[in-house]
Structure formats: C-alpha cells, structure tokens
Amino acid sequence: MTSDTEPGHAGDRTWIAELYEREWSSLVRVAFLLTSSRSTAEEIVQDAFVRLQTTRTTVLNPAAYLRTVVVNACRDVHRHQAVVARNPPPAPEPAIAEHDEMFDALARLPWRQQAALVLRFHVDLAEPEIAAALGCRPTTVRSLVHRALATLRKDLSE
Amino acid sequence: MNATLEDRLRHHYDERTRDIPHHGPGLEDGAVLRINPGLSEPRPHRAARVALVIGTVAAATVLGLLVLNRPTDNVPAVGSGGSSPLSSTDPAQALAPAATLPNGGDVSETPVTVAGTAPTDWYRLQPDLDVAWYQVPSGQSPTMLCWRTPVGSECLADDYPGALPLIVPTAGGQTLVVTGVTDGKTTLDVQLASGAILTAPIVVDDTISWGVARYQLPEGDSITSVGTASVNPGVADKVPGQTLPATVGLNDTPLTIPAGSELSYWRWFADLDISERQTAAGGTELCWRTPAGTGCIDDSFISPEVGIIPTDGGAILLARPALIEISPAPTDPLAPKFEQGPPPTTITVTLSDGSTVTADINYGDQFGVGYARVTLAAGVTVASAASS
C-alpha cells in the first residue's frame, strides 16, 4: 500500500526508487509499442511516476496503478494523434520509419486490441492484469486478443 | 517449421524495443536492477500461454471451417470421459464400398457447375458417390450441390456456410462424410447419437480436394457431429462422480463467443465443459455442461460472490478477486478508480441442510478463475456460498 502519509511508502525515496528500477523498462516498452515514439514513451512513464509519487491515495499494487496510468496516457496520445492525422502528419521518427508488414497490420487494429496484444504478448500479463490496465473484464480481454489475432492472421495471410 | 503468429508478435515487439535499456535514466552506476521477469529470459508462463493462444487459433479454425481433422498418429479418438462408449474403425484401413454406381453417360471427367434447374454433369467422388453442381441461370438462387449413391440422392443449397460436411447414406448400411478441407490430415472423427465416436480415414479427391470418410454405423445410430475428438482430459482434478463423455469439436481454449452464437465448449475438468458467451445486454454469461446437466450463470461474479455449478456428487464453486475502489478516489484523470484485490483463498458454503463447509480455492494457469469443489450427500444442495 502506498500513502504519502506513511513513512516508507510514497514520498520515500527508497520505495519509489525500487519501483522505478523494477518497472521503468517494462513501462517504457509498453508505452513505446503503443505510441511508436521513444521520447513520448519515456515522457509518459516519467509522468506516471510523478503522478504516483504525488497522489494522496492508497493503492494495493503500485505497479498495476502505474501500468493503468501509462496505458491511459498512451490512449490519450493515440486520440491526439488521430486528430493530428487529419492535418499534414509530422515526419516519423527513425525508429518507426522501418515499417514492416507486422507493424502496418498492428497499426490498423483498434487501439484497445493493440494494447491487449502488447500487454499479453510482450509483458506477458495474465488476463485479469490486462483487464485491470484496460479497465475491462477478463473475458473482454480474451475477446480483444482473439479478435486481434484473427484480424492479424487474415491481414498477414497466415 | 513456420513460426506461429504469437511467436512473430513476440519477436516483433522484442525487436522494436531492443534499443530500450533495462533501466531508467538517473540511476546510480552499479545499481542492482531487478528487471521485470516478463521481459527477460526465462519467461516462465510463456509456454502455457503460447499453448493457450495456439488453442485459441485452433478453436477459431474449428468455428470457421466447421470441419476438422486430426493427426494421423492420434488413434483412436478418445475423450476424457469414462462414461461414453468409444469405438473406431481402423484408421489405417478404409471400408470398401458395398456397391458401386453404374458408369452412365452423365458422369463428367471434370467437376463443373452447370446452368440449369437440375443436376446433369455428375462428378464421381467415390465408386458409390457422385456429386454435381448446378445454378439456375437467373443467378438469384444459390448454387445447388447434389449427391447420389446407390441408395438415394438429394440436392442442397450450397450457400453460406456451405453444404459441407455432407453426410450421405450409401449401400451396405454405410455412411459417407464429405469434407471440404482436409488440410493434409488423414482421418476424421464423427460422434454418434449414442455418444460413441468413430474414426475413419479420409480419401482425398485430387481434383477438387474434397475428402470422403466412410463409416459403418451401428444399427439405428446416426451421426450428430463431425470434427476432431477431444483428447484433452481437462485440468487434472479429482472428480467426485461421473465424468463427461468424449466429444467431438471441443475448443482447445476457453473462448468468448458473440451473443446469439451456438455454445462452443472448452473442457475444463473431466466433469465440466464451459462456454463463455456475450449477452445481448453487453455482459458475459458462463454456460456449463456437467453430468448433472447444463445451464448458464452471469459471468460477473467477483469476491465475495461465487459462481455455483452443480456436478455429479457435488458442486464446483468459482471465485474471482474483488474489485476494490481506490480511496480516496484519485483526482488524476489517468489513474484507475478501482484495483484488483487479493485473490480469495477459501469459499464458505452453506448447504440446504443448514450445515456449513469450507473449501480451499485453486488457481490454474489456463482460465484465470479460481475454483473449489464440495462433495454433497444425496438430496443436499448448495444454498449459498461466499469467497474470502
């Protein structure tokens, strides 16, 4: 549990540093896969840690809390990009210039399906954990993953 | 061997994140890092999850193709149930036709769909089975698929999802099953009304790639389903009473199907098949099949609520962690409002005779729902249950 009123939790440099060490890379990878921007991903994750450290609430699982914040932030970026896409798009970063068949197929999926695939196949989360991050039921996660795989399989002509 | 789609996805993600370091900026040199084990080798749950997703794909194939075959080395088809009669023909040896069709002038060398109102150009698929296709010239009617054997003939509309698999009677009391997709497999399972499962070789026609499997059914029996007999015994668990019979066409993984779809079961235990289906109201129902019967329960139970499924000699109780409201509610718009509580460990059951029993909850790797079993004396039922 975290609380900025409790010693040794939020506000405690050791506690937040350990969480940072343990989760930073995983969270940046998730954010990068969902935004296709390394700088945006790092910014989102940094911001998530700041939000966690400054929250005045109590949570059982800080890592899950962070993950939800990151996924929600990525969703906001995605929505923003959808608006930007109506105008002349900015030049892609080098990291995402190397599009391939899989990249393009994934990009065509609905955002929630993309997020479910990343959390399932890259982070190896269980369905209940993915559900918590996406704010849906575990059974919905299963449907999201199943439909995403079916679409990919069709698009990639497997 | 081709990589599965899931493996390709993992590789794609790994490649794309290859340049992301395993620690964030600002850490002191020499800091001991504890990298999320999910992102470094080994990945302990991956094998099981790969199997699960491969199963999902296989299940989707079941739904999409209607017809499934099985590896040649899986003989005979055996399900997990101990209460079902099982039998099979020898998969290595096909039955011979009991009678053949005459070589009439209407048999064509090539399979063609003719314009007309009746079949004219038959294609010989087996010595005792001809098929033909025709379509009314207006184009408004579907293509018709016709068959004839020494004992009869019929024409069927071949519109979506198609007339295959086609089950036709032939001479000598034999039954032929015509499949459209053989996918290199050499045997086909059928389930009979009696519960028995028969396996027979598929004879594939090189020209149209359709396969024909030939069965000798017991007198008075009939084929109820065609597919792959499940060899999955379900999750190992001590079953207090009867098990479910072997069956054809089970999913390899739990799969949520759209509202209104026909139930599509996955074998969880030897006495429990489940099928998750969306409801028209937007929820999900968990439908079950046990030796005690069938039914559906709302799939939204969370601790302390318990899903109760009757089975032979007892009940199976399902539990999920509670959702706990984060308090005080975060003001951060990106923050979650609820979080998952710790998984419940026990279920307290109140029986219809007024007594109370407790059971420990087990968590498997495949389904994400905890379960416990209670055995019940004759005439006693579960009145209520709560997890904690």
Side-chain angles (χ1 to χ4, degrees):
Chain A
M1 300 177 71
T2 70
S3 165
D4 60 358
T5 61
E6 294 177 26
H9 294 111
D12 183 318
R13 295 179 65 83
T14 303
W15 173 83
I16 200 74
E18 284 184 0
L19 191 65
Y20 185 84
E21 281 182 15
R22 193 172 65 241
E23 301 295 337
W24 182 89
S25 180
S26 170
L27 293 169
V28 169
R29 286 159 194 259
V30 168
F32 173 68
L33 290 172
L34 293 176
T35 63
S36 294
S37 165
R38 170 86 176 268
S39 58
T40 302
E42 292 187 1
E43 196 174 321
I44 284 173
V45 172
Q46 189 71 23
D47 186 51
F49 275 100
V50 172
R51 287 167 183 266
L52 176 65
Q53 196 171 23
T54 57
T55 185
R56 300 189 61 82
T57 192
T58 302
V59 294
L60 291 169
N61 188 337
Y65 183 97
L66 277 172
R67 198 156 46 230
T68 301
V69 171
V70 166
V71 169
N72 285 340
C74 293
R75 184 201 57 208
D76 283 358
V77 168
H78 178 78
R79 287 173 178 162
H80 175 69
Q81 287 173 339
V83 174
V84 171
R86 297 182 196 130
N87 300 305
E93 295 184 15
I96 61 169
E98 299 167 7
H99 288 193
D100 59 15
E101 188 185 23
M102 179 68 84
F103 183 97
D104 293 339
L106 285 167
R108 286 192 292 270
L109 293 176
W111 189 84
R112 288 220 304 172
Q113 293 183 13
Q114 292 184 40
L117 289 183
V118 168
L119 296 173
R120 179 69 170 269
F121 294 112
H122 187 61
V123 192
D124 269 347
L125 293 182
E127 283 169 3
E129 296 170 301
I130 300 172
L134 297 182
C136 64
R137 297 179 182 192
T139 50
T140 305
V141 171
R142 197 170 301 146
S143 296
L144 288 171
V145 170
H146 175 70
R147 288 172 187 167
L149 289 175
T151 304
L152 284 179
R153 189 161 281 109
K154 185 179 172 187
D155 283 359
L156 300 173
S157 301
E158 274 222 334
Chain B
M1 180 187 295
N2 292 330
T4 65
L5 177 57
E6 293 79 6
D7 288 340
R8 288 180 64 188
L9 263 176
R10 292 179 202 282
H11 177 73
H12 173 83
Y13 290 146
D14 286 345
E15 281 296 303
R16 287 190 61 205
T17 58
R18 185 181 47 195
D19 296 334
I20 294 177
H22 288 291
H23 59 84
L27 287 177
E28 296 170 4
D29 288 344
V32 177
L33 300 180
R34 286 178 288 280
I35 304 301
N36 184 342
L39 293 171
S40 58
E41 296 299 335
R43 296 177 169 176
H45 298 301
R46 281 202 162 175
R49 289 181 186 157
V50 166
L52 180 64
V53 177
I54 290 171
T56 306
V57 174
T61 309
V62 170
L63 295 172
L65 299 180
L66 295 178
V67 176
L68 279 175
N69 307 300
R70 55 195 311 244
T72 54
D73 54 353
N74 285 344
V75 292
V78 179
S80 63
S83 58
S84 168
L86 295 174
S87 59
S88 73
T89 56
D90 181 354
Q93 188 172 6
L95 290 171
T100 58
L101 290 165
N103 281 320
D106 58 351
V107 176
S108 170
E109 287 295 317
T110 54
V112 293
T113 301
V114 298
T117 56
T120 53
D121 291 27
W122 291 90
Y123 180 72
R124 185 139 298 174
L125 202 53
Q126 282 281 289
D128 57 344
L129 173 62
D130 288 347
V131 292
W133 302 263
Y134 73 88
Q135 187 169 33
V136 176
S138 71
Q140 300 300 312
S141 303
T143 300
M144 301 297 288
L145 168 63
C146 306
W147 59 266
R148 70 181 180 189
T149 69
V151 301
S153 65
E154 189 180 6
C155 290
L156 307 149
D158 198 20
D159 52 357
Y160 181 85
L164 301 179
L166 187 63
I167 302 172
V168 299
T170 186
Q174 296 178 356
T175 299
L176 304 176
V177 176
V178 183
T179 73
V181 178
T182 56
D183 197 24
K185 304 297 173 57
T186 58
T187 60
L188 181 68
D189 303 326
V190 294
Q191 185 148 33
L192 307 185
S194 64
I197 292 174
L198 300 181
T199 301
I202 303 171
V203 178
V204 178
D205 181 274
D206 290 336
T207 303
I208 62 173
S209 299
W210 283 13
V212 180
R214 185 180 299 273
Y215 303 88
Q216 187 80 53
L217 307 189
E219 183 85 22
D221 219 337
S222 60
I223 293 174
T224 56
S225 55
V226 177
T228 299
S230 171
V231 294
N232 173 21
V235 176
D237 198 45
K238 188 176 181 183
V239 174
Q242 282 191 316
T243 59
L244 289 166
T247 189
V248 163
L250 279 178
N251 287 331
D252 291 337
T253 186
L255 182 67
T256 306
I257 55 176
S261 300
E262 190 175 341
L263 292 175
S264 177
Y265 287 102
W266 169 69
R267 180 145 296 174
W268 191 359
F269 306 118
D271 64 339
L272 174 61
D273 289 346
I274 62 164
S275 176
E276 286 184 327
R277 182 169 59 181
Q278 293 170 342
T279 63
T284 309
E285 60 182 350
L286 185 66
C287 296
W288 50 269
R289 177 168 68 185
T290 72
T294 60
C296 294
I297 57 177
D298 191 314
D299 197 24
S300 62
F301 58 86
I302 56 172
S303 186
E305 296 166 346
V306 170
I308 303 171
I309 297 175
T311 186
D312 184 45
I316 300 167
L317 309 164
L318 310 181
R320 287 197 186 95
L323 279 180
I324 298 172
E325 191 170 3
I326 296 176
S327 177
T331 54
D332 182 351
L334 297 181
K337 303 295 181 286
F338 293 86
E339 62 180 340
Q340 189 172 288
T345 55
T346 59
I347 295 178
T348 303
V349 185
T350 302
L351 304 180
S352 58
D353 62 4
S355 62
T356 301
V357 295
T358 60
D360 292 336
I361 300 175
N362 302 290
Y363 288 92
D365 197 34
Q366 266 198 299
F367 188 40
V369 179
Y371 71 93
R373 284 180 182 273
V374 290
T375 54
L376 300 172
V380 176
T381 58
V382 174
S384 64
S387 64
S388 59

